[in-house]
Each structure stands twice: as C-alpha cells, then as structure tokens.
Amino acid sequence: MSKDIKKIAQLSSDEAVCKLLENIEEEENTVFTRAESLKPCPIGSGISGVCCKNCGMGPCRVMENEEGLCGATIGTISARNLARSIAAGASAHSDHGRDMAHLLSLTAEGKAEGLKIKDEPKLFKLAKTLGISLGDKSVNEIAKETAEKAMSLFGQQTGEIDFIKLAPKKRQEIWRKYKVVPRGIDREIVEMMHRTHIGVDQEPENILNQALRTALSDGWGGSMLGTEITDILFKTPVPLAAKANLGMLKTDEVNIVIHGHEPTLSEVIAELADDKVLVDYAKEKGAKGINVVGICCTANEVLMRQGIAPIGNFLSQEMAIMTGAVELMVVDIQCIMQALGQLVKKYHTKLVTSSPKSKIPGAIHMEFQEVNAVTLAKEIIKMAIDNYQNRKHTVCIPDIRSDLVAGFSHEYIRYMLGGRFRESLRPLNDGIIDGRIQGIVAIVGCNNARLPQDKYNNFLVEEFIKRDYLIVQTGCGAISTAKCGIMTPEAMEYAGEGLRSICEAVGIPPVLHLGSCVDNSRILSIASDIVKEGGLGEDLSDLPAAGIAPEWMSEKALSIGTYFAASGIYVAFGGEPIPVESSEEVKNIMTSGWEQKFGGQLEYIPDIDELLEKVINVIQEKRKKLKIDIKKERVLMDMEARRAL
Ligand code: BF8
C-alpha cells in the first residue's frame, strides 16, 4: 500500500514517528486516524456555545444570549466547566503526591520492599519546612513524622498549607488579600466540586477564585510534595546524559516500556534491568539483554535519576507498540490511552496495568503495592522475557535517536551556579540583569492530536533560545525537545550570544530538563529563589519570565497554567479549541482580571507566531519595569574593584 508521505509529515514533527507510520505494513487505527475522523464537538468544547451537564435536567446546550433551564448563563457555565477541569487536574497531581507520602511512611517503617531513603539532607529540609523538629531522632523517625505531616495537609481544614511560606513574602500577601491561600489540598478540590454543583456558585469571578485556590493547592501542595518526596526516596536528580526516541528500542533485546506517572515500580524495574539472574534468563530465551525505556512522565522520572531513555511522549505511545519490538508495556496512572488495550491484541506486546486506580480492558492487571515492588518488578520482567520469542510482526524500529542531558533539579541549579560551598543563583540573576539572558520561559505540557506532534514546542524552543531566553521544561514538552536534539550543551550553537556565553561558562544546555509534570513545582521553587536572591523585584510577578503550554490537552495542564497565573506569571496556552471561547466574560477574568489582582494571567493564543510575540512583549515589559531593558556592557573587574564591591 502506498502511503501519503506528505500527509504523514503533517501529523508529527518527530522523524521517528513519521518513519514508522511510513514503513509499517498495515494502516493502524491510531490517535492520528481517530483525530481525522472524530472532530471536537463545537458546543461541548466551548467554541460555539457551552454544554452544561451538571444536573439531570440537561445537558443544556446554551448559545449566545440563551440560558440553561436553571437560568445559568454562558459565563457561569464556562467558568464552572473550566473550574471542574482544573479540580480534576489538581486531583490527579495531588493524589500522586499523596501516594508518595504514603510510600515515604511505609519506607520509614521498613515495609516498602527494596526501598530506602536516598536523600537524607532533602528529607531534613522538608521536615523543617513542615515544622518538624529534627532533635536526635533517627532518619526513619523523621521520615515517618514528615510523611504523616505531609498526609495531613490533604485533609487539613483550616489555616494555610506549609509550602505557601516558601513563596516571596509579597506573593503570600497577595494570596491572603484575595483569599486564595489553600487551607488543605483535598478541601479545595472538594469545595470546587461543591461550588460547581447546580445552584451553588453562579458568579464567574467567584467560581474562578476558587479555581485559583484549587490550582495553588496543586502547585504549592500536592505536586510539590510529589516532587520533594520522590527526590527523598529515589534521589535528587543531577545532570546525566541519555538518548531519546524510538530508535532506543533494541531489535535483539527484551524491550520493556514503562509508561504513566508514578515512578516507584518503574524505578525498581529499571534498577533490575542489569540483574544478572534476569539477564541470564533473557539470554537463555535468545535475547542479548533487557532494555527498559519509557513514555510520558514515568519516563521523565526514571530518566532524571537513572538515565532511562524516553522513547516518546504522549502521541508516541501507540507507535512504540507498532514497532513490533515491545515485549511488555507496564502502565500506572494518567495519560495512558485506552486504545492500547485494543492495539496490543494485534501484536505480541503484553500490556500490564499496575495501579488499582487504573485498569484497562485488554490489559493484564498485576497490582503494585508498596510491600511488593521488587517481587512484582521481577515477575513483570520475567513475563516480558518469556514473551520475547512470541514476536510475530516484522520488527520496525526507526533508526532515529538523539542525545540529551537531563536531571536539573533546583538544588543542582543552585550548586552548578555557585559551587558546593557557595551555592547561589547570583550568576543567573546577574545574567538576567545584564541582559545576557533576556528572560526565563517554561515551555511545558502535552502533545495534542489536534496539532502536529512536537511542532509548536520545538518551534518555540528554537525561537526563544536564539533570542537569549533560557528555557526550562518538564513533561511531554521536555521529551519533544530531547527528541529533536536540542537538549545538549552542544545546542548552545543555536542560542544567542548572551545565552551561549552563560551556557559555555556553566556547561549547561540552553534548555534545562526539570522532570515530569509534578516537577513544575521545581519551577516555582527556582522562581522564588531568584526573587529572594535579589535584584529582580520583590515578587514572582516582577520576574522577566513566562509559561507556555503550546500543545496542551490534559486537565493537569489547566491546573498547572492556573497555579502559575495565580503565582504571578504570564501564561499562554496554544492550540484549539479554546475551552472558554464562548465567554468574553470568562476570558477577561482570566486575563485582565487576574493580571490586576495577581499580576499573572492565562491567555489562549492559537496562532503560534502571535503567541511568541506576545510572550516576548510581556517579558520585555517586565524588563522595562525593572529598568534592566538597556543592555549593559560587561565590565571586567580587577581584584581591587572586586574588593571595593
Ligand atoms: O503529566 S505533559 S500528556 S504525560 S499531562 Fe500527560 Fe500532558 Fe504528557 Fe505527564 Ni503532563
């Protein structure tokens, strides 16, 4: 069958995905073909009118100048729908954070098989932040108390969640002034659901205020706990080299793909890939070894700490199976397409679900519990090995892979800039002040089958680095950049002169991989530290920084964008449909309304050139306000001048 190469090239900017789609024998039912046959519902998506399903009298399709049966307006319904999505996104991140806290507790009690605390200094730091005295307690006692305090933040009813105090003072005051400080993580999500029930909160601005509080409980709550505890248990990332893309699957090895978001089982599977007994068993079955690779944020987690290759982001998950080379894909939670369950029926791949929260028709369920990580990991690896001889399709692995450097935790960034004894963000602040770095742009978020895979992410990264903007990335955006080969120090050749001079001096890529989507909390920590370092204003909203989710699709992305906006950062979302398109009122609240109160906003800009220009303008405006918009000449100082300083 001849393939339409041009059409395939429009689906994805990932060369490996295009090669695979060109070369596989059968045309498969994939997310790309489904996106062609199934268009977004114009009302459900909020493009023309809105759909309210919040009671049994509807669903009400409400167009301009109309109202629902209860009288709900387009503005109220738009705000409610968006707020519920933000609550769902916050719940996903925060439930993940809760599981990490539970795991820390069991590890402290010695009940988590094969796990121990790997980063004690980070545990002590978290304990102090949560108000736990260290005294002469043992590490496990501190870990147990820290885990209990962390878990209590989910059900806390009054007061403020502890991480709020890590933000600059001025930011905390703004949150208090507008009453959006999260009281407890679960509490805000529950209240959001309550307030969007029929007949409760009907004022769009008030509904969205609670959405901001809910999102803050994610970024400065559930996600932050997720990141901190994962570092404590599995170590805080430091830079490491790895490779990305489908070409990291091996023809002659047992390929195991880890996919989802929770790192625990996957960390253990990756560690066991070199286990002599298991490798010998793989050899007995005719394979040369065991190759563990990843998709989505589980991949990012294990990449950051063990250098496991991310072979793809969200839109690549079906592609991995279609190579015919994957013996087993083990999935946990979030961003796992249900279509995998059908797809594996045509291939030899075994799909294994491991979380009691996520079962998929067509998958084998092998439940992970904290007490069985090593035993279960071995069982899963053995199952993959036993499946090696069952390959039935011609193996079709695109010979495409690229180098990357990942592993930039906020602790490492402080260390790399200041050294072990003087760790500091001073050189970064100075670089921003003297204009070698024009600003910091977080390009994060998903793939979206309504857009060519990776295209807008990669476009923005290239455009920003050549204009001297330092890029920080997480999630599928980070994998996208890694796949296109500009996440290495060598990529500094594409950067502007100023950014290149910093990259050369510190030895970093112009694009820093900070981890998975819960690790967006690292960006909040770095941004707060930059403010505290001095010279760039008193609040996060003063920073020449912005966030972009060019190819977003998940509710988690909405929560992330909202907590960035609530933290004072300008945020732009790309793509269409725009979920609040029908309501000018809601769009205005999220832009000028939030800007006035919080100094940040969330704006939808489908045109990518317009989005680029807008972000540059926003950052340049901030530079002007800080009076650092005029590029200063670098002054080389002698010893005497330094002493005088
Ligand atoms: O949490 S970027 S598609 S994988 S939601 Fe999902 Fe979006 Fe990817 Fe990670 Ni984040």
Short mmCIF file of all heavy atoms in Angstrom, two decimals, residues 137-165:
data_model
loop_
_atom_site.label_atom_id
_atom_site.label_comp_id
_atom_site.label_asym_id
_atom_site.label_seq_id
_atom_site.Cartn_x
_atom_site.Cartn_y
_atom_site.Cartn_z
N LYS A 137 16.31 12.57 66.66
CA LYS A 137 15.50 11.48 66.07
C LYS A 137 16.29 10.76 64.98
O LYS A 137 17.14 11.36 64.32
CB LYS A 137 14.23 12.08 65.44
CG LYS A 137 13.26 12.67 66.44
CD LYS A 137 12.16 13.43 65.73
CE LYS A 137 11.43 14.34 66.70
NZ LYS A 137 10.71 15.43 66.03
N SER A 138 15.97 9.49 64.78
CA SER A 138 16.61 8.73 63.70
C SER A 138 16.03 9.18 62.36
O SER A 138 14.96 9.81 62.31
CB SER A 138 16.36 7.23 63.89
OG SER A 138 14.99 6.96 63.60
N VAL A 139 16.73 8.82 61.29
CA VAL A 139 16.26 9.20 59.94
C VAL A 139 14.85 8.66 59.71
O VAL A 139 13.96 9.37 59.20
CB VAL A 139 17.24 8.66 58.87
CG1 VAL A 139 16.67 8.83 57.47
CG2 VAL A 139 18.58 9.37 58.98
N ASN A 140 14.64 7.42 60.10
CA ASN A 140 13.32 6.83 59.86
C ASN A 140 12.23 7.49 60.70
O ASN A 140 11.09 7.62 60.25
CB ASN A 140 13.34 5.31 60.08
CG ASN A 140 13.96 4.60 58.88
OD1 ASN A 140 14.02 5.17 57.78
ND2 ASN A 140 14.44 3.39 59.09
N GLU A 141 12.60 7.90 61.91
CA GLU A 141 11.60 8.61 62.74
C GLU A 141 11.22 9.94 62.08
O GLU A 141 10.04 10.30 62.01
CB GLU A 141 12.15 8.85 64.15
CG GLU A 141 12.07 7.63 65.04
CD GLU A 141 12.89 7.77 66.33
OE1 GLU A 141 13.74 8.70 66.43
OE2 GLU A 141 12.69 6.95 67.23
N ILE A 142 12.25 10.63 61.59
CA ILE A 142 11.97 11.91 60.92
C ILE A 142 11.12 11.66 59.67
O ILE A 142 10.15 12.39 59.40
CB ILE A 142 13.29 12.64 60.56
CG1 ILE A 142 14.03 13.02 61.84
CG2 ILE A 142 13.03 13.87 59.70
CD1 ILE A 142 15.46 13.46 61.63
N ALA A 143 11.49 10.62 58.94
CA ALA A 143 10.74 10.32 57.70
C ALA A 143 9.28 10.00 58.01
O ALA A 143 8.36 10.45 57.32
CB ALA A 143 11.39 9.14 56.97
N LYS A 144 9.06 9.23 59.07
CA LYS A 144 7.69 8.85 59.45
C LYS A 144 6.88 10.09 59.81
O LYS A 144 5.75 10.28 59.35
CB LYS A 144 7.77 7.87 60.63
CG LYS A 144 6.45 7.39 61.16
CD LYS A 144 5.79 6.37 60.26
CE LYS A 144 4.40 6.04 60.76
NZ LYS A 144 3.53 5.52 59.75
N GLU A 145 7.48 10.96 60.64
CA GLU A 145 6.77 12.17 61.06
C GLU A 145 6.50 13.09 59.87
O GLU A 145 5.43 13.68 59.75
CB GLU A 145 7.62 12.94 62.09
CG GLU A 145 7.12 12.82 63.50
CD GLU A 145 7.88 13.72 64.44
OE1 GLU A 145 7.65 14.93 64.45
OE2 GLU A 145 8.76 13.20 65.17
N THR A 146 7.50 13.18 58.99
CA THR A 146 7.35 14.03 57.81
C THR A 146 6.22 13.51 56.92
O THR A 146 5.39 14.27 56.42
CB THR A 146 8.68 14.06 57.01
OG1 THR A 146 9.72 14.47 57.89
CG2 THR A 146 8.62 15.01 55.83
N ALA A 147 6.20 12.19 56.75
CA ALA A 147 5.16 11.59 55.90
C ALA A 147 3.78 11.84 56.51
O ALA A 147 2.82 12.18 55.80
CB ALA A 147 5.41 10.09 55.76
N GLU A 148 3.70 11.70 57.83
CA GLU A 148 2.38 11.91 58.46
C GLU A 148 1.93 13.36 58.33
O GLU A 148 0.76 13.63 58.03
CB GLU A 148 2.45 11.51 59.94
CG GLU A 148 2.13 10.03 60.09
CD GLU A 148 2.47 9.48 61.46
OE1 GLU A 148 2.78 10.26 62.37
OE2 GLU A 148 2.41 8.24 61.59
N LYS A 149 2.89 14.28 58.50
CA LYS A 149 2.53 15.70 58.36
C LYS A 149 2.11 15.97 56.90
O LYS A 149 1.14 16.68 56.65
CB LYS A 149 3.72 16.58 58.78
CG LYS A 149 3.46 18.07 58.61
CD LYS A 149 2.43 18.59 59.61
CE LYS A 149 1.74 19.88 59.21
NZ LYS A 149 2.51 21.07 59.19
N ALA A 150 2.87 15.38 55.97
CA ALA A 150 2.55 15.58 54.55
C ALA A 150 1.13 15.08 54.26
O ALA A 150 0.33 15.76 53.61
CB ALA A 150 3.56 14.85 53.67
N MET A 151 0.81 13.90 54.79
CA MET A 151 -0.53 13.34 54.52
C MET A 151 -1.62 14.19 55.17
O MET A 151 -2.72 14.31 54.64
CB MET A 151 -0.60 11.88 54.98
CG MET A 151 0.14 10.95 54.01
SD MET A 151 -0.10 9.21 54.35
CE MET A 151 1.04 8.93 55.67
N SER A 152 -1.27 14.80 56.31
CA SER A 152 -2.29 15.61 57.00
C SER A 152 -2.65 16.86 56.19
O SER A 152 -3.73 17.42 56.36
CB SER A 152 -1.81 16.01 58.40
OG SER A 152 -0.90 17.08 58.31
N LEU A 153 -1.74 17.31 55.31
CA LEU A 153 -2.02 18.51 54.51
C LEU A 153 -3.18 18.30 53.54
O LEU A 153 -3.83 19.23 53.12
CB LEU A 153 -0.78 18.93 53.71
CG LEU A 153 0.42 19.42 54.52
CD1 LEU A 153 1.56 19.79 53.60
CD2 LEU A 153 0.04 20.62 55.39
N PHE A 154 -3.42 17.02 53.21
CA PHE A 154 -4.54 16.75 52.29
C PHE A 154 -5.88 16.99 52.97
O PHE A 154 -6.80 17.53 52.39
CB PHE A 154 -4.44 15.31 51.74
CG PHE A 154 -3.29 15.15 50.80
CD1 PHE A 154 -2.02 14.81 51.26
CD2 PHE A 154 -3.46 15.37 49.45
CE1 PHE A 154 -0.95 14.70 50.39
CE2 PHE A 154 -2.39 15.27 48.57
CZ PHE A 154 -1.14 14.93 49.05
N GLY A 155 -5.97 16.59 54.24
CA GLY A 155 -7.24 16.72 54.95
C GLY A 155 -7.32 17.94 55.85
O GLY A 155 -8.29 18.09 56.59
N GLN A 156 -6.30 18.80 55.80
CA GLN A 156 -6.29 19.98 56.67
C GLN A 156 -7.51 20.85 56.35
O GLN A 156 -7.84 21.08 55.18
CB GLN A 156 -5.00 20.75 56.41
CG GLN A 156 -4.73 21.86 57.40
CD GLN A 156 -3.33 22.45 57.20
OE1 GLN A 156 -2.33 21.78 57.47
NE2 GLN A 156 -3.26 23.67 56.74
N GLN A 157 -8.17 21.33 57.39
CA GLN A 157 -9.43 22.06 57.18
C GLN A 157 -9.30 23.57 57.25
O GLN A 157 -10.04 24.29 56.60
CB GLN A 157 -10.48 21.62 58.23
CG GLN A 157 -10.80 20.13 58.18
CD GLN A 157 -11.32 19.70 56.81
OE1 GLN A 157 -12.15 20.36 56.22
NE2 GLN A 157 -10.80 18.58 56.30
N THR A 158 -8.36 24.03 58.07
CA THR A 158 -8.22 25.49 58.23
C THR A 158 -6.74 25.87 58.16
O THR A 158 -5.87 24.99 58.13
CB THR A 158 -8.76 25.95 59.60
OG1 THR A 158 -8.13 25.13 60.60
CG2 THR A 158 -10.26 25.80 59.71
N GLY A 159 -6.48 27.17 58.17
CA GLY A 159 -5.08 27.62 58.14
C GLY A 159 -4.55 27.67 56.72
O GLY A 159 -5.29 27.88 55.76
N GLU A 160 -3.24 27.45 56.60
CA GLU A 160 -2.58 27.55 55.30
C GLU A 160 -1.68 26.34 55.10
O GLU A 160 -1.05 25.90 56.07
CB GLU A 160 -1.71 28.82 55.25
CG GLU A 160 -2.49 30.10 55.47
CD GLU A 160 -1.58 31.33 55.42
OE1 GLU A 160 -0.34 31.17 55.46
OE2 GLU A 160 -2.12 32.45 55.33
N ILE A 161 -1.59 25.82 53.89
CA ILE A 161 -0.65 24.72 53.68
C ILE A 161 0.78 25.27 53.76
O ILE A 161 1.05 26.39 53.34
CB ILE A 161 -0.91 23.94 52.36
CG1 ILE A 161 -0.87 24.87 51.15
CG2 ILE A 161 -2.23 23.18 52.41
CD1 ILE A 161 -0.90 24.12 49.82
N ASP A 162 1.69 24.43 54.31
CA ASP A 162 3.02 24.94 54.70
C ASP A 162 3.86 25.52 53.56
O ASP A 162 4.61 26.46 53.77
CB ASP A 162 3.83 23.82 55.36
CG ASP A 162 3.20 23.37 56.64
OD1 ASP A 162 2.33 22.47 56.59
OD2 ASP A 162 3.54 23.92 57.69
N PHE A 163 3.75 24.92 52.35
CA PHE A 163 4.66 25.36 51.29
C PHE A 163 4.44 26.81 50.87
O PHE A 163 5.30 27.41 50.23
CB PHE A 163 4.51 24.46 50.06
CG PHE A 163 5.11 23.08 50.24
CD1 PHE A 163 4.37 21.95 49.95
CD2 PHE A 163 6.41 22.93 50.67
CE1 PHE A 163 4.91 20.68 50.09
CE2 PHE A 163 6.98 21.66 50.82
CZ PHE A 163 6.22 20.53 50.53
N ILE A 164 3.25 27.33 51.21
CA ILE A 164 2.95 28.71 50.85
C ILE A 164 4.05 29.66 51.33
O ILE A 164 4.41 30.62 50.67
CB ILE A 164 1.57 29.10 51.48
CG1 ILE A 164 0.45 28.34 50.77
CG2 ILE A 164 1.33 30.60 51.49
CD1 ILE A 164 0.35 28.57 49.28
N LYS A 165 4.62 29.33 52.50
CA LYS A 165 5.63 30.25 53.07
C LYS A 165 6.96 30.20 52.32
O LYS A 165 7.86 30.99 52.61
CB LYS A 165 5.79 30.02 54.57
CG LYS A 165 6.21 28.65 54.99
CD LYS A 165 6.30 28.56 56.52
CE LYS A 165 6.78 27.18 56.94
NZ LYS A 165 5.77 26.38 57.60
#
